[in-house]
Amino acid sequence: MDVQCCHFSWDNYRQQSLDGYLWFQFWWLGYIQASHLPFQELLKFVLFANFSIVGMNVSLMWNSVGFYQIAKLSMIPVSCFLEVVFDHIRYSRDTKLSILVVLLGVAVCTVTDVSVNTKGFVAAFIAVWSTSLQQYYVHFLQRKYSLSSFNLLGHTAPAQAASLLIVGPFLDYWLTNKRIGGFNFNLASVVFIVLSCSIAVGTNLSQFICIGRFTAVSFQVIGHMKTILVLILGFLFFGREGLNVQVVICMIIAVAGMIWYGNASSKPGGKERRSHSIPRSSQQKHESSEPDDDDDDNKV
């Protein structure tokens, strides 16, 4: 069985082993404290997270790399939409422009061949919305139930690992028509699987910490620095094919947009929750009218 056939399978099982490993290690070290998360909230999070894992991998299998990158870029506006609708967040003009600069710079660097089909579009649509909802929910649950990143992982990791262990093998066989047990293990494959899982531990933990500290949109913007670093390392270690002045300029533009976003969103009014309180003038007018009403009652 070649590596391409096992792409979805091993990414799926890597996530399962990662979730179980994280939960056990953090519980053993005492980072996970007693806390409460309602079952309904846990179930919604696990559904969003599992659809995200499956959707992203299937999108990469059925679409070109260029369209896959476009789908990843579209997560930023979707995350903005979720924050505006559910959290009533208001973005300043500079914050909006900085996000557009990041999207433009990363898009020109990464999007080359773009081809799409119906099933690939559906997979990308599911991946984008489920991933955006999952990342939004990380921030939402930590804020609503006063959970730390470790506590939220302690609730979600076992449930997510168990659900993927049950559903994963059937999805693997349905999508690839091959069973995971047929993979030809050797020393090199085991080393890279362990290395991949180890790196994924830090990636998953940093996601919960970053989104809990900031927001899903900030995590998405910062996350595209990874894309720029991947391009740079690819050019350094695997040759400079595809490297030109246009790509270098767009990398610089994308990084400048990220710096601009950090500066713009941290300023007062750059990114704030809209208040639905009564205007002060109306409130003062209402308060001033109350004594008059009392006086009228006394006169009667």
Side-chain angles (χ1 to χ4, degrees), residues 166-177:
I166 295 172
V167 179
F170 299 101
L171 284 176
D172 287 338
Y173 184 75
W174 177 56
L175 292 169
T176 64
N177 203 28

Side-chain angles (χ1 to χ4, degrees), residues 69 79 97 135 150 206 213 234 236 274 279 291:
Q69 289 294 338
S79 297
L97 290 175
Q135 293 179 355
F150 295 100
S206 66
R213 176 63 179 83
L236 290 176
R274 288 176 290 184

Side-chain angles (χ1 to χ4, degrees), residues 69-70 73 101-112 250 254:
Q69 289 294 338
I70 291 176
L73 289 172
V101 170
V102 174
L103 292 174
L104 176 64
V106 176
V108 176
C109 289
T110 60
V111 178
T112 52
C250 289

Side-chain angles (χ1 to χ4, degrees), residues 34-107:
S35 57
H36 173 69
L37 181 65
F39 178 76
Q40 291 181 345
E41 302 283 19
L42 175 62
L43 181 61
K44 286 189 285 187
F45 181 89
V46 171
L47 286 176
F48 293 150
N50 288 354
F51 271 106
S52 172
I53 296 170
V54 176
M56 292 301 295
N57 283 279
V58 174
S59 176
L60 186 57
M61 290 173 59
W62 289 347
N63 294 316
S64 64
V65 177
F67 187 78
Y68 175 78
Q69 289 294 338
I70 291 176
K72 288 184 65 177
L73 289 172
S74 66
M75 291 178 190
I76 292 182
V78 171
S79 297
C80 291
F81 173 78
L82 294 175
E83 290 188 357
V84 169
V85 172
F86 295 114
D87 291 341
H88 307 291
I89 296 295
R90 179 174 56 193
Y91 297 92
S92 67
R93 184 186 63 178
D94 285 350
T95 304
K96 296 175 184 176
L97 290 175
S98 65
I99 292 175
L100 289 177
V101 170
V102 174
L103 292 174
L104 176 64
V106 176

